[in-house]
Amino acid sequence: MVADLTASADAAAPFAPAACPRLVVKVGSALLVDPAGAVRRDWLASLVADIAARVTAGQQVAVVSSGAIALGARRLGLAKGGRASLEDAQAAAATGQIALAGVWAGLLHDHGLTAAQMLLTLDDLEERRRYLNAAATLDRLLKLGVVPIINENDSVATEEIRFGDNDRLAARVAGAAMAQGVILLSDVDGLYTANPATDPAATLIPRVEHVASVEHMADRHSASGMGSGGMVAKVEAARIAVAAGAHLAIASGHGDHALARFAESGRGTLFVAPSGAPARKAWLRGGLTARGTIQVDAGACDALRSGRSLLAAGATRVEGRFARGDLVVLSGPDGRPVARGLAEYGDADAALIVGRRSDEHEALLGYAPRSALVHRNHMALL
């Protein structure tokens, strides 16, 4: 089954505490901050009550919270919600984040829960060593019963080193936290067959087995205009989450007790994850950035899919600038990505041996060659 357009299965079941010991909840800006730039405190209090109920039931919960820029822009009196320039966004984020964290901490404290703040940049989850450090911090906090409140560190991030939206950040956090589920609370209640704002015949898709089958249904617009995502970002987040072995749901956050209501109604779109992948493979699949691309021939594609390493003889072209150990994409003859892996050679040496047999490598390189361009132990199929 590619995408089930008619099933009425309960999309919330995989996220119940018994089925999902560790959960990531993402809260969008339009839900948390009103158009005037003030926190919707009553709404947030009801959500925190839902989170507290899940923690009491034994579930460990991390929250990815948007809203810092919108909140900071109001306090600083900045135009266009603080997004008129990168400098404005950074200043608004720095101002709003401390206020946002304070609101979360206070409301969680009312339920006897401790909050922690983690601010992440793209490199924190894309560079392997930093990823492991972030993962260790998340793991320890959750085991201690703390509720981490996570956001992108927009006060220092630039266009080149940022996630761009908290949907994808939530999915990457799920991989780092080894969570079994991600719930994106949004201003829409799921993925539709068409844009429901413009097409009255659009219907909700309750369950998606393969993310690629629905990518064409997403658009880039958020309903509120306040957030930075849109359905494209949510579908991309689903791709990242399911690659890490975590189910992902898109559900409406409108109205009080949004998590409890989702648990009761099951209304939303569930992206189903396959059986869990090893943590390293999940990190490789979920990566958003790669230093380069190695194109391979049809025979090498078949070999990769059967679990073999990429040998130089099966490569046809090297693109980009990368060093040994950098993340690269392996693409087939049609240009479609086949796998991601860690390069065993830098781009210059890789280019020297592309298409050449192993017994030629030492003469070309001037040193004893390694066994593969990308080893199967450091590779994940897409």
Side-chain angles (χ1 to χ4, degrees):
M1 180 169 60
V2 177
D4 187 341
L5 305 185
T6 60
S8 58
D10 185 355
F15 306 96
C20 180
R22 190 168 281 185
L23 174 70
V24 176
V25 177
K26 182 261 180 178
V27 182
S29 296
L31 298 173
L32 197 146
V33 181
D34 67 24
V39 173
R40 289 189 167 101
R41 192 178 182 91
D42 290 344
W43 176 88
L44 185 57
S46 76
L47 178 64
V48 169
D50 292 348
I51 292 170
R54 285 176 173 266
V55 173
T56 299
Q59 192 170 60
Q60 298 172 350
V61 181
V63 176
V64 173
S65 176
S66 302
I69 292 178
L71 184 58
R74 175 179 182 260
R75 297 195 171 201
L76 296 175
L78 296 174
K80 296 183 179 179
R83 298 182 185 274
S85 68
L86 177 61
E87 292 79 8
D88 277 2
Q90 290 172 326
T95 304
Q97 188 60 48
I98 192 168
L100 185 63
V103 173
W104 276 106
L107 292 173
L108 286 164
H109 177 76
D110 292 343
H111 291 271
L113 296 173
T114 299
Q117 178 176 261
M118 286 187 70
L119 299 178
L120 300 170
T121 63
L122 180 64
D123 285 348
D124 291 324
L125 297 182
E126 294 291 289
E127 198 277 315
R128 180 67 176 170
R129 184 173 180 180
R130 290 162 71 174
Y131 173 90
L132 293 174
N133 288 336
T137 300
L138 279 167
D139 183 62
R140 186 59 180 149
L141 287 170
L142 290 166
K143 286 179 176 176
L144 288 170
V146 174
V147 178
I149 307 300
I150 303 156
N151 200 355
E152 184 162 12
N153 194 354
D154 287 310
S155 62
V156 299
T158 65
E159 292 299 324
E160 291 77 19
I161 56 166
R162 66 191 310 267
F163 288 91
D165 60 80
N166 276 350
D167 297 317
R168 287 181 289 188
L169 173 59
R172 285 298 264 161
V173 165
M178 293 180 288
Q180 294 79 29
V182 182
I183 298 175
L184 304 180
L185 292 179
S186 180
D187 49 9
V188 295
D189 58 355
L191 177 66
Y192 282 75
T193 54
N195 187 336
T198 58
D199 186 348
T203 58
L204 179 70
I205 302 172
R207 183 181 180 94
V208 176
E209 299 283 355
H210 302 289
V211 178
S213 69
V214 297
E215 288 175 337
H216 65 286
M217 298 178 184
D219 65 40
R220 298 184 177 275
H221 302 292
S222 64
S224 67
M226 187 179 298
S228 55
M231 195 54 68
V232 168
K234 289 172 176 55
V235 172
E236 174 66 7
R239 182 192 67 78
I240 296 166
V242 299
H247 303 296
L248 182 140
I250 303 170
S252 173
H254 288 299
D256 290 344
H257 296 286
L259 272 181
R261 190 175 62 257
F262 173 61
E264 292 168 3
S265 71
R267 182 172 177 79
T269 298
L270 168 65
F271 292 84
V272 181
S275 57
R280 185 179 181 85
K281 299 283 188 179
W283 174 76
L284 289 169
R285 284 194 190 97
L288 296 174
T289 58
R291 299 290 184 182
T293 299
I294 300 175
Q295 191 165 36
V296 305
D297 59 28
C301 280
D302 292 339
L304 295 178
R305 294 188 178 109
S306 66
R308 298 179 185 176
S309 300
L310 174 62
L311 302 181
T316 59
R317 188 169 63 191
V318 172
E319 300 173 358
R321 299 291 297 275
F322 55 88
R324 185 188 180 202
D326 283 344
L327 181 65
V328 294
V329 174
L330 311 183
S331 64
D334 60 358
R336 293 175 63 87
V338 176
R340 288 173 176 262
L342 303 182
E344 292 289 335
Y345 293 89
D347 61 277
D349 284 353
L352 287 175
I353 59 174
V354 159
R356 309 300 285 267
R357 300 189 313 271
S358 297
D359 57 9
E360 301 177 83
H361 293 180
E362 186 169 2
L364 291 166
L365 296 170
Y367 60 84
R370 301 179 184 90
S371 60
L373 283 179
V374 179
H375 195 276
R376 64 183 181 180
N377 290 344
H378 307 300
M379 182 193 308
L381 295 174
L382 299 177

